[in-house]
């Protein structure tokens, strides 16, 4: 297997007067921890390698043959993932059992973008530890040691997409050596899951091979599995233990299972152990976690309709693409085109020294157009040079022109995907000029994604180009797997769900926030924002997220669950108590490195550099501005480790590169007036709780209707005794196009031989706006035309859909406001899940208004135009506490009883007593006709009146 050597490759300087290692001829490790107990000795670094053939006996007497007579005593990998922050330790212990010196190599592949935080090695009792220094300081220490003739090693690295940490030492007979590497990384969600990859490469059979992965996710683990990445060789070896919020994966093959075959001396452990998982997020769109003075905000909403996209594929067809690269690109493009949605618009540009377009304009992704585009791509014959500048400007022109002519859906997303395998050779050759041209012409509603095939392309240029224009770059390997890599990347950006996503926090208690404004959010991914939080300034942290979905403006409020998280983490010994701090540092340093590459002036670049350097030292992590000094306790034997050259993109593996905005720059529509509740304070704004209108029409419990008649200043109430599944019309106004219906659900079982019914679902239809709102005890669904958005009762959110504002207060109320002067409130009533009788249900509150037409009707709607009533002859009733009276209404004289009903708007547990006159027999005489006249067949059916 060809491995790419790119991170921390050791070049050791061989000294003529080397240091020898005194040994006691110990054959192997007696105990797991005995390595550090050996007497200190000196050692030398050599370049030659001496190999001998021998056999050693392992567990249960099985033979372990080693060509180089070095026994790998143990190979242990331990990873802990706490809320997406992964810490990994790789440790190996080896012993030289041969009579001759042997080279020992520690070779580890680590994920690109991971931060190395620590490295140590112990050679026959002499321990080398690491420290992070500013690069010039580290190099000075190295030069100082070398000038004195002491043993030194220079460790350098080169960054490709796979990174290796490799060091090699020569040990004398009987010597033991231990290596230990620590690194940390953030798990980025892609296509609906997180992947934790551990590259296992012990190089030989290990007496003790142990891999442990602990996953601790406060949100809860939705699924976790370990795919087979070793062609079935280790079937049944990985052991998975999964709880609600914690999981453990153990991989501990015996020596016999490690062998490639029963008689083989080679190990089959040479590949990746992959752990895939996702967290629970059905109940809420965001998770705000606060711990130890830092916060992390995870945002991955689902149940949203995709936003239509305008996409231009810009494909390099120069001569260098000839062969497998072009074949694989064509194969991928055919699949990608088939995946376009009917509402998408697209075109294809191919370029070499010239630029061609399949269509000069964007066209709808109909089956006919897609078929024609695929035929066009199949006929491409690579040749000529590479004119990247003109190709990108042509794509930008097509999108700008379509926008100017009003041909783009204003709610759509515009994307350019560039696929190229080389630097420009025709036209504009200066990369900085191409970057400037693109920036000058591209509009701020277009995102540019760049895919660099192979290693001839200037990948840093593609990163700068994309980061500066609201996209990212990704390297694609030019091999048999090119097609699947291209398709996988497209799938990540194929489903835009939100535009203009912005996170806001109260400045009084929050500081040093990472990027908090993002151009798009794509389905299956996750946006992560972090910062510092001062609990002395504010006891609780609350956030506001603003965004635009396919058909609505959205505001989400999230309140951090601080005490619960602290209690949860304290009970798990594997949980990392510093995960928030590490995650914040990881994001901040990566984002600063990206900003540094785009800094407009030397002064701003120096300022950013200073910040990165200080953070690297404070958090003890290796970055492009620091170096790792590895030395013995005396400081006279020293090695130097540099990190990879600067990666100009942020956060390897992340799908987003955003920017920072001030907390007071929330859109004006966040605070529409009036609203049921003004969101959290931003820059000192006051929190206002709207006072519920004192007199409203209500439906509560099983179901009790309370009709307030303002002219008479009376509450009249009645019950409807029906059966589960029936849909009652509450408001039907076909002239103004407003409809409210409610579907009944039943209790779990009868009580006193009567099955109570409640409203379990309510439907609101605003015909002129073509907006439907369905509210159940589980979700809130908003629909406009064919587009749908789903909110949860676990979110606090505001959604604006044309003239309709829907406000959700977490686990309490939904308020629907039309044109700011007509509103409906829905209360959620939760009961104990194991209650033998009761079920969750909804209550509805409707303030009186004159905005309905004279034709408004329904069990509530008919009273928007108040009937004349007269209540007289009040007298004692059968129950001394419930007097009776006579009421004249609509030509009827009814016997009514005075009683109390409940209003739960201000006291959600016990309610507030409301005095009313009760009409018996399901409101007969007070409502028009019989209550069965108000049955409708569907949740959005208008009432048909005779």
């Amino acid at each position: 297997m060809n491995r790419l050597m790119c991170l921390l490759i050791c070049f050791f300087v061989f000294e003529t007067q080397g240091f020898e290692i005194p040994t006691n001829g110990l054959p192997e490790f007696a105990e797991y921890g005995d390595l550090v107990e050996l007497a200190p000795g000196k050692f030398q670094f050599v370049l030659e390698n001496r190999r001998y053939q021998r056999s050693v006996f392992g567990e249960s007497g099985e033979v372990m043959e080693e060509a180089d007579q070095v026994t790998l005593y143990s190979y242990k990998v331990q990873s802990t993932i706490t809320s997406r922050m992964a810490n990994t330790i790789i440790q190996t212990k080896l012993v030289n059992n041969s009579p001759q010196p042997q080279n020992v190599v520690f070779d580890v592949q680590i994920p690109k973008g991971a931060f190395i935080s620590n490295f140590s090695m112990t050679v026959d009792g002499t321990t080398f530890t690491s420290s992070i220094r500013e690069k010039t300081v580290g190099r000075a220490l190295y030069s100082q040691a070398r000038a004195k003739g002491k043993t030194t090693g220079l460790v350098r690295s080169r960054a490709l997409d796979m990174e290796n940490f490799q060091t090699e030492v020569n040990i004398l007979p009987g010597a033991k050596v231990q290596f230990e590497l620590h690194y940390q990384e953030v798990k980025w969600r892609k296509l609906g899951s997180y992947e934790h990859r551990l590259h296992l490469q012990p190089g030989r059979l290990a007496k003790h091979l142990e891999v442990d992965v602990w996953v601790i996710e406060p949100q809860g683990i939705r699924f976790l599995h370990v795919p087979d990445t070793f062609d079935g060789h280790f079937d049944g070896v990985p052991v998975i233990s999964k709880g609600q919020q914690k999981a453990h994966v153990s991989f501990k093959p015996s020596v016999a299972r490690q062998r490639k075959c029963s008689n083989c001396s080679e190990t089959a452990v040479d590949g990746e152990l992959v752990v895939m998982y996702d967290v629970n997020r059905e109940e809420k769109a965001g998770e705000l976690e606060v711990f130890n003075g830092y916060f992390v905000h995870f945002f991955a909403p689902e149940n949203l309709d995709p936003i239509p996209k305008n996409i231009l594929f810009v494909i390099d067809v120069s001569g260098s693409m000839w062969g497998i690269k072009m074949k694989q690109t064509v194969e991928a493009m055919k699949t990608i085109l088939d995946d376009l949605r009917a509402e998408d618009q697209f075109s294809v540009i191919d370029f070499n020294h010239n630029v061609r377009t399949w269509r000069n304009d964007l066209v709808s992704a109909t089956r006919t157009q897609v078929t024609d585009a695929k035929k066009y791509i199949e006929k491409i014959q690579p040749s000529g040079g590479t004119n990247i500048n003109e190709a990108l400007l042509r794509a930008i022109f097509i999108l700008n022109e379509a926008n100017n002519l009003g041909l783009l859906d204003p709610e759509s997303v515009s994307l350019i995907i560039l696929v190229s395998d080389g630097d420009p050779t025709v036209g504009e050759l200066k990369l900085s000029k191409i970057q400037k041209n693109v920036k000058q012409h591209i509009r701020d509603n277009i995102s540019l994604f760049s895919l660099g095939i192979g290693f001839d392309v200037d990948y840093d240029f593609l990163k700068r180009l994309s980061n500066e224009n609201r996209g990212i770059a990704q390297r694609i390997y030019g091999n048999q797997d090119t097609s699947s890599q291209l398709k996988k990347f497209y799938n990540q950006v194929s489903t835009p769900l939100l535009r203009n996503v912005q996170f806001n926090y109260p400045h009084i208690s929050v500081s040093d926030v990472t990027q908090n404004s993002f151009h798009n959010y794509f389905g299956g991914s996750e946006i992560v924002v972090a910062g510092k939080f001062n609990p002395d300034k504010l006891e609780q942290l609350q956030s506001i997220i603003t965004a635009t979905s396919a058909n609505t403006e959205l505001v989400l409020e999230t309140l951090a669950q601080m005490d619960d998280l602290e209690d949860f983490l304290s009970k798990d010994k594997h949980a990392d108590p510093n995960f928030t701090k590490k995650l914040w540092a990881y994001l901040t340093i990566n984002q600063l490195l990206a900003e540094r590459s785009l800094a407009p002036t030397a002064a701003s670049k120096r300022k950013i550099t200073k910040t990165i350097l200080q953070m690297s030292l404070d958090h003890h992590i290796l970055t492009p501005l620091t170096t790792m000094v590895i030395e013995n306790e005396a400081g006279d034997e020293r090695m130097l480790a540099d990190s990879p050259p600067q990666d100009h993109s942020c956060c390897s593996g992340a799908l987003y590169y955003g920017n920072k905005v001030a907390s007071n720059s929330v859109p004006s529509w966040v605070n529409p007036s009036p609203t049921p509740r003004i969101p959290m304070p931003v820059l000192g704004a006051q929190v206002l709780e709207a006072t519920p209108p004192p007199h409203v029409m209500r439906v509560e419990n099983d179901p009790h209707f309370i009709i307030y008649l303002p002219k008479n200043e009376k509450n009249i109430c009645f019950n409807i005794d029906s059966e589960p599944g029936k849909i009652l019309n509450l408001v039907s106004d076909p002239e103004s196009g407003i409809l409210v219906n409610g579907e009944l659900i039943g209790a779990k079982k009868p009580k006193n031989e009567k099955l109570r019914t409640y409203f379990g679902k309510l439907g609101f239809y605003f015909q002129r706006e073509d907006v439907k709102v369905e509210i159940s005890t589980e979700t809130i669904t908003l629909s406009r035309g064919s587009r749908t958005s789903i909110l949860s009762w676990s979110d606090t959110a505001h959604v604006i859909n044309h003239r309709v504002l829907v406000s959700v207060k977490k686990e309490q109320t939904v308020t629907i406001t039309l044109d700011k002067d007509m509103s409906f409130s829905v209360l959620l009533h939760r009961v104990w899940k194991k209650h033998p009788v009761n079920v969750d249900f909804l209550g509805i509150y409707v303030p009186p208004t004159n905005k309905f037409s004279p034709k408004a009707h329904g069990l509530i709607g008919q009273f928007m135009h108040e009937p004349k009533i007269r209540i007289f002859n009040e007298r004692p009733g059968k129950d001394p506490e419930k007097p009776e009276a006579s009421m004249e209404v609509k030509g009827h004289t009814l016997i009514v009883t005075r009683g109390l009903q409940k209003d739960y708007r201000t006291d959600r547990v016990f309610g507030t007593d409301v005095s009313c006159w009760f009409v018996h027999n399901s409101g007969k005489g007070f409502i028009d006709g019989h209550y069965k006249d108000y049955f409708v067949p569907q949740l959005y059916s208008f009432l048909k009146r005779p």
Side-chain angles (χ1 to χ4, degrees), residues 837-907:
V837 177
N838 295 341
V839 293
D840 295 345
F841 65 94
L842 305 172
I844 181 171
Y845 294 74
V846 185
T849 176
N850 58 4
K851 299 299 180 179
F852 289 101
S853 75
K855 294 184 178 180
H857 210 264
L859 287 169
I860 294 177
Q862 63 186 290
F863 299 107
M864 293 299 172
H865 304 286
E866 185 175 337
K868 293 181 180 180
I869 69 166
R870 184 170 76 93
I871 296 177
F872 59 97
N873 191 22
E874 186 173 340
R875 54 196 180 270
K878 296 178 181 179
D879 185 337
E881 295 182 1
K882 296 181 179 180
E884 291 183 353
S886 299
M887 180 175 72
E888 291 181 350
V889 58
K890 297 181 180 180
H892 304 285
T893 301
L894 309 176
I895 303 299
V896 293
T897 303
R898 194 160 185 78
L900 296 175
Q901 296 294 346
K902 294 290 186 180
D903 185 326
Y904 291 95
R905 288 176 299 164
T906 56
D907 186 338

Side-chain angles (χ1 to χ4, degrees), residues 462-571:
L462 294 183
K463 291 174 184 174
R464 292 193 300 273
L465 191 65
S466 293
N467 286 355
E468 200 172 35
N469 297 290
R470 297 159 295 279
I472 64 166
Q474 182 165 313
R475 189 185 296 279
I476 303 295
Y477 297 104
N479 54 28
Q480 297 290 342
D481 197 37
T482 297
S483 178
S484 64
Q485 293 176 67
L486 289 170
K487 287 184 284 188
K488 185 175 181 179
F489 178 84
Y490 170 76
N491 288 339
Q492 292 180 61
V493 299
S494 65
T495 311
L497 298 181
L498 293 173
R499 297 182 291 118
N500 305 324
V501 185
Q502 183 174 315
F503 296 73
N504 298 276
Y505 307 93
H507 81 293
I508 191 173
S509 61
V510 165
S511 63
D512 299 305
V513 178
T514 59
Q515 291 174 355
N516 63 329
S517 180
F518 303 89
H519 193 60
N520 296 311
Y521 165 75
F522 298 97
S525 65
E526 183 172 62
I527 296 176
V528 183
V529 180
K532 295 180 180 179
F533 173 69
N534 186 349
D536 296 333
K537 300 290 183 67
L538 207 62
E539 290 185 1
Q540 285 190 311
L541 177 60
Q542 190 177 13
S543 72
I544 294 179
I545 304 173
T546 60
T548 303
S549 69
N551 58 348
T552 61
E553 304 286 2
L554 179 67
V555 183
L556 290 170
E557 296 180 37
T558 303
L559 185 66
Q561 302 295 327
M562 299 165 66
D563 295 337
D564 293 346
L565 181 62
E566 184 173 359
D567 181 62
F568 169 75
L569 294 175
S570 66
K571 294 178 180 178

Side-chain angles (χ1 to χ4, degrees), residues 181-195:
L181 178 72
H182 296 232
Y183 66 85
Q184 53 189 245
E185 57 177 321
V186 171
K187 298 286 96 183
W188 296 104
R189 188 170 185 253
K190 294 182 179 180
L191 302 177
S193 67
Y194 307 95
E195 284 190 2

Side-chain angles (χ1 to χ4, degrees), residues 321 325 329 419-422 451-457 462 474-479 482 486:
M321 287 286 288
K325 285 191 284 189
T329 300
V419 181
S420 180
D421 76 331
L451 302 179
I453 300 181
F455 297 98
D456 295 330
V457 67
L462 294 183
Q474 182 165 313
R475 189 185 296 279
I476 303 295
Y477 297 104
N479 54 28
T482 297
L486 289 170

Side-chain angles (χ1 to χ4, degrees), residues 81-85 187 189 192-194 215-224 242-246 276-287 289 298-300 302 524-526:
I81 305 171
T82 307
S83 284
R84 321 324 186 252
M85 188 70 219
K187 298 286 96 183
R189 188 170 185 253
S193 67
Y194 307 95
V215 180
I216 300 102
E217 289 287 355
Q219 275 183 260
I221 300 172
R222 187 164 69 91
F223 71 82
L224 183 146
K242 179 183 173 297
Q244 186 176 355
Q245 296 170 296
K246 306 171 187 177
M276 300 181 66
Y277 76 95
D278 197 16
V279 300
N280 293 326
R281 53 175 52 85
E282 291 86 352
E283 293 187 353
K284 50 186 175 180
E287 177 78 3
E289 298 180 358
F298 303 104
F299 183 68
E302 298 179 340
S525 65
E526 183 172 62

Side-chain angles (χ1 to χ4, degrees), residues 395-410:
I396 294 169
F397 173 80
I398 291 175
L399 284 170
N400 288 346
E401 189 72 8
N403 187 69
N404 293 337
L405 295 174
L407 302 177
L408 302 184
D409 184 341

Side-chain angles (χ1 to χ4, degrees), residues 10-134:
C10 291
F11 298 92
F12 294 103
V13 179
F14 176 59
E15 305 289 340
T16 25
Q17 300 297 325
F19 294 89
E20 295 185 354
I21 304 175
T23 66
N24 298 319
L26 296 177
E28 56 187 27
F29 292 0
E31 297 293 340
Y32 178 83
D34 69 347
L35 176 65
V36 296
E37 299 172 1
L38 299 176
K42 295 182 179 180
F43 65 98
Q44 61 180 342
F45 299 101
V46 298
L47 296 180
E48 67 262 273
N49 185 23
R50 304 183 180 98
R51 297 182 179 271
Y52 297 87
Q53 182 73 29
R54 77 179 186 100
S55 298
V56 298
F57 288 90
E59 302 171 11
S60 305
E62 52 192 342
V63 177
M64 297 174 59
E65 296 186 12
E66 292 292 338
D68 55 5
Q69 298 193 0
V70 172
T71 300
L72 177 57
Y73 179 76
S74 69
Y75 183 91
K76 298 188 177 184
V77 181
Q78 177 178 312
S79 280
T80 60
I81 305 171
T82 307
S83 284
R84 321 324 186 252
M85 188 70 219
N87 297 280
T88 299
I89 302 172
I90 301 175
Q91 182 193 80
T92 64
K93 296 182 179 182
L94 306 97
V95 61
N96 179 12
N97 288 317
S98 79
Q100 299 293 330
Q102 295 290 321
N103 281 353
V104 174
V105 179
F106 178 68
D107 186 2
V108 175
Q109 217 171 77
I110 66 173
K112 181 173 176 58
F115 282 156
I116 292 176
S117 57
N118 196 16
F119 173 69
S120 64
M121 64 180 183
T122 302
V123 182
D124 215 20
T126 299
T127 299
F128 284 70
T129 58
S130 63
S131 61
I132 302 296
R133 306 291 182 91
E134 192 271 329

